[in-house]
PDB file of all heavy atoms in Angstrom:
ATOM      1  N   PRO A 166      18.143   4.149   1.391  1.00 98.00           N
ATOM      2  CA  PRO A 166      19.457   3.872   0.801  1.00 98.00           C
ATOM      3  C   PRO A 166      19.479   4.358  -0.648  1.00 98.00           C
ATOM      4  O   PRO A 166      18.447   4.372  -1.322  1.00 98.00           O
ATOM      5  CB  PRO A 166      19.577   2.349   0.863  1.00 98.00           C
ATOM      6  CG  PRO A 166      18.334   1.820   1.447  1.00 98.00           C
ATOM      7  CD  PRO A 166      17.424   2.940   1.753  1.00 98.00           C
ATOM      8  N   SER A 167      20.644   4.733  -1.125  1.00 97.00           N
ATOM      9  CA  SER A 167      20.751   5.276  -2.488  1.00 97.00           C
ATOM     10  C   SER A 167      20.313   4.259  -3.539  1.00 97.00           C
ATOM     11  O   SER A 167      19.850   4.638  -4.613  1.00 97.00           O
ATOM     12  CB  SER A 167      22.174   5.749  -2.765  1.00 97.00           C
ATOM     13  OG  SER A 167      23.074   4.668  -2.630  1.00 97.00           O
ATOM     14  N   ALA A 168      20.412   2.966  -3.260  1.00 97.00           N
ATOM     15  CA  ALA A 168      20.030   1.929  -4.227  1.00 97.00           C
ATOM     16  C   ALA A 168      18.530   1.643  -4.231  1.00 97.00           C
ATOM     17  O   ALA A 168      18.060   0.859  -5.060  1.00 97.00           O
ATOM     18  CB  ALA A 168      20.792   0.644  -3.926  1.00 97.00           C
ATOM     19  N   PHE A 169      17.769   2.264  -3.327  1.00 98.00           N
ATOM     20  CA  PHE A 169      16.330   1.993  -3.271  1.00 98.00           C
ATOM     21  C   PHE A 169      15.645   2.526  -4.535  1.00 98.00           C
ATOM     22  O   PHE A 169      15.797   3.693  -4.876  1.00 98.00           O
ATOM     23  CB  PHE A 169      15.701   2.645  -2.032  1.00 98.00           C
ATOM     24  CG  PHE A 169      14.226   2.369  -1.912  1.00 98.00           C
ATOM     25  CD1 PHE A 169      13.773   1.168  -1.400  1.00 98.00           C
ATOM     26  CD2 PHE A 169      13.293   3.303  -2.339  1.00 98.00           C
ATOM     27  CE1 PHE A 169      12.409   0.904  -1.305  1.00 98.00           C
ATOM     28  CE2 PHE A 169      11.932   3.051  -2.243  1.00 98.00           C
ATOM     29  CZ  PHE A 169      11.497   1.843  -1.730  1.00 98.00           C
ATOM     30  N   PRO A 170      14.875   1.674  -5.219  1.00 96.00           N
ATOM     31  CA  PRO A 170      14.207   2.100  -6.453  1.00 96.00           C
ATOM     32  C   PRO A 170      12.909   2.866  -6.145  1.00 96.00           C
ATOM     33  O   PRO A 170      11.897   2.270  -5.785  1.00 96.00           O
ATOM     34  CB  PRO A 170      13.907   0.776  -7.164  1.00 96.00           C
ATOM     35  CG  PRO A 170      13.769  -0.215  -6.050  1.00 96.00           C
ATOM     36  CD  PRO A 170      14.683   0.252  -4.948  1.00 96.00           C
ATOM     37  N   ILE A 171      12.949   4.174  -6.292  1.00 94.00           N
ATOM     38  CA  ILE A 171      11.774   5.001  -5.995  1.00 94.00           C
ATOM     39  C   ILE A 171      10.882   5.060  -7.230  1.00 94.00           C
ATOM     40  O   ILE A 171      11.338   5.411  -8.317  1.00 94.00           O
ATOM     41  CB  ILE A 171      12.199   6.415  -5.555  1.00 94.00           C
ATOM     42  CG1 ILE A 171      13.024   6.315  -4.266  1.00 94.00           C
ATOM     43  CG2 ILE A 171      10.983   7.317  -5.368  1.00 94.00           C
ATOM     44  CD1 ILE A 171      13.625   7.626  -3.816  1.00 94.00           C
ATOM     45  N   MET A 172       9.626   4.711  -7.041  1.00 89.00           N
ATOM     46  CA  MET A 172       8.638   4.796  -8.116  1.00 89.00           C
ATOM     47  C   MET A 172       8.055   6.213  -8.134  1.00 89.00           C
ATOM     48  O   MET A 172       7.963   6.855  -7.088  1.00 89.00           O
ATOM     49  CB  MET A 172       7.498   3.789  -7.900  1.00 89.00           C
ATOM     50  CG  MET A 172       7.938   2.348  -7.746  1.00 89.00           C
ATOM     51  SD  MET A 172       8.503   1.631  -9.280  1.00 89.00           S
ATOM     52  CE  MET A 172      10.261   1.534  -8.988  1.00 89.00           C
ATOM     53  N   LYS A 173       7.644   6.669  -9.302  1.00 85.00           N
ATOM     54  CA  LYS A 173       7.102   8.031  -9.442  1.00 85.00           C
ATOM     55  C   LYS A 173       5.945   8.305  -8.486  1.00 85.00           C
ATOM     56  O   LYS A 173       5.839   9.399  -7.947  1.00 85.00           O
ATOM     57  CB  LYS A 173       6.611   8.273 -10.869  1.00 85.00           C
ATOM     58  CG  LYS A 173       7.693   8.674 -11.834  1.00 85.00           C
ATOM     59  CD  LYS A 173       7.087   9.188 -13.122  1.00 85.00           C
ATOM     60  CE  LYS A 173       6.988   8.068 -14.119  1.00 85.00           C
ATOM     61  NZ  LYS A 173       6.539   8.507 -15.439  1.00 85.00           N
ATOM     62  N   VAL A 174       5.082   7.300  -8.278  1.00 83.00           N
ATOM     63  CA  VAL A 174       3.878   7.513  -7.455  1.00 83.00           C
ATOM     64  C   VAL A 174       4.163   7.453  -5.958  1.00 83.00           C
ATOM     65  O   VAL A 174       3.316   7.837  -5.151  1.00 83.00           O
ATOM     66  CB  VAL A 174       2.777   6.489  -7.807  1.00 83.00           C
ATOM     67  CG1 VAL A 174       2.297   6.679  -9.235  1.00 83.00           C
ATOM     68  CG2 VAL A 174       3.252   5.060  -7.574  1.00 83.00           C
ATOM     69  N   ASP A 175       5.335   6.967  -5.565  1.00 91.00           N
ATOM     70  CA  ASP A 175       5.646   6.792  -4.142  1.00 91.00           C
ATOM     71  C   ASP A 175       6.120   8.089  -3.504  1.00 91.00           C
ATOM     72  O   ASP A 175       7.098   8.690  -3.952  1.00 91.00           O
ATOM     73  CB  ASP A 175       6.710   5.709  -3.963  1.00 91.00           C
ATOM     74  CG  ASP A 175       6.224   4.326  -4.348  1.00 91.00           C
ATOM     75  OD1 ASP A 175       4.997   4.133  -4.452  1.00 91.00           O
ATOM     76  OD2 ASP A 175       7.069   3.446  -4.545  1.00 91.00           O
ATOM     77  N   THR A 176       5.419   8.478  -2.443  1.00 94.00           N
ATOM     78  CA  THR A 176       5.822   9.661  -1.683  1.00 94.00           C
ATOM     79  C   THR A 176       5.850   9.386  -0.179  1.00 94.00           C
ATOM     80  O   THR A 176       6.200  10.254   0.597  1.00 94.00           O
ATOM     81  CB  THR A 176       4.864  10.842  -1.963  1.00 94.00           C
ATOM     82  OG1 THR A 176       3.538  10.438  -1.642  1.00 94.00           O
ATOM     83  CG2 THR A 176       4.937  11.280  -3.422  1.00 94.00           C
ATOM     84  N   LYS A 177       5.468   8.179   0.214  1.00 97.00           N
ATOM     85  CA  LYS A 177       5.467   7.780   1.622  1.00 97.00           C
ATOM     86  C   LYS A 177       6.337   6.529   1.707  1.00 97.00           C
ATOM     87  O   LYS A 177       6.175   5.609   0.912  1.00 97.00           O
ATOM     88  CB  LYS A 177       4.033   7.507   2.074  1.00 97.00           C
ATOM     89  CG  LYS A 177       3.872   7.305   3.557  1.00 97.00           C
ATOM     90  CD  LYS A 177       2.377   7.245   3.895  1.00 97.00           C
ATOM     91  CE  LYS A 177       2.121   7.009   5.350  1.00 97.00           C
ATOM     92  NZ  LYS A 177       2.177   8.201   6.163  1.00 97.00           N
ATOM     93  N   PHE A 178       7.250   6.519   2.683  1.00 98.00           N
ATOM     94  CA  PHE A 178       8.233   5.441   2.745  1.00 98.00           C
ATOM     95  C   PHE A 178       8.294   4.839   4.149  1.00 98.00           C
ATOM     96  O   PHE A 178       8.068   5.522   5.149  1.00 98.00           O
ATOM     97  CB  PHE A 178       9.613   5.970   2.329  1.00 98.00           C
ATOM     98  CG  PHE A 178       9.589   6.570   0.957  1.00 98.00           C
ATOM     99  CD1 PHE A 178       9.409   7.937   0.793  1.00 98.00           C
ATOM    100  CD2 PHE A 178       9.698   5.777  -0.162  1.00 98.00           C
ATOM    101  CE1 PHE A 178       9.355   8.501  -0.470  1.00 98.00           C
ATOM    102  CE2 PHE A 178       9.643   6.327  -1.428  1.00 98.00           C
ATOM    103  CZ  PHE A 178       9.468   7.687  -1.590  1.00 98.00           C
ATOM    104  N   TYR A 179       8.616   3.547   4.183  1.00 98.00           N
ATOM    105  CA  TYR A 179       8.704   2.809   5.441  1.00 98.00           C
ATOM    106  C   TYR A 179       9.975   1.985   5.475  1.00 98.00           C
ATOM    107  O   TYR A 179      10.507   1.600   4.429  1.00 98.00           O
ATOM    108  CB  TYR A 179       7.511   1.849   5.581  1.00 98.00           C
ATOM    109  CG  TYR A 179       6.204   2.524   5.912  1.00 98.00           C
ATOM    110  CD1 TYR A 179       5.333   2.912   4.905  1.00 98.00           C
ATOM    111  CD2 TYR A 179       5.839   2.760   7.228  1.00 98.00           C
ATOM    112  CE1 TYR A 179       4.127   3.522   5.196  1.00 98.00           C
ATOM    113  CE2 TYR A 179       4.632   3.360   7.532  1.00 98.00           C
ATOM    114  CZ  TYR A 179       3.780   3.740   6.520  1.00 98.00           C
ATOM    115  OH  TYR A 179       2.587   4.339   6.824  1.00 98.00           O
ATOM    116  N   ALA A 180      10.418   1.693   6.701  1.00 98.00           N
ATOM    117  CA  ALA A 180      11.577   0.816   6.911  1.00 98.00           C
ATOM    118  C   ALA A 180      11.240  -0.187   8.004  1.00 98.00           C
ATOM    119  O   ALA A 180      10.487   0.115   8.934  1.00 98.00           O
ATOM    120  CB  ALA A 180      12.796   1.632   7.325  1.00 98.00           C
ATOM    121  N   TYR A 181      11.806  -1.371   7.877  1.00 98.00           N
ATOM    122  CA  TYR A 181      11.657  -2.434   8.861  1.00 98.00           C
ATOM    123  C   TYR A 181      13.060  -2.928   9.197  1.00 98.00           C
ATOM    124  O   TYR A 181      13.828  -3.281   8.300  1.00 98.00           O
ATOM    125  CB  TYR A 181      10.823  -3.580   8.283  1.00 98.00           C
ATOM    126  CG  TYR A 181      10.646  -4.749   9.220  1.00 98.00           C
ATOM    127  CD1 TYR A 181       9.561  -4.792  10.092  1.00 98.00           C
ATOM    128  CD2 TYR A 181      11.546  -5.807   9.234  1.00 98.00           C
ATOM    129  CE1 TYR A 181       9.392  -5.874  10.955  1.00 98.00           C
ATOM    130  CE2 TYR A 181      11.380  -6.882  10.089  1.00 98.00           C
ATOM    131  CZ  TYR A 181      10.298  -6.902  10.949  1.00 98.00           C
ATOM    132  OH  TYR A 181      10.137  -7.963  11.808  1.00 98.00           O
TER     133      TYR A 181
END
Side-chain angles (χ1 to χ4, degrees):
S167 60
F169 181 80
I171 298 174
M172 304 288 108
K173 277 193 266 186
V174 296
D175 293 343
T176 57
K177 189 172 178 83
F178 303 95
Y179 286 93
Y181 178 90

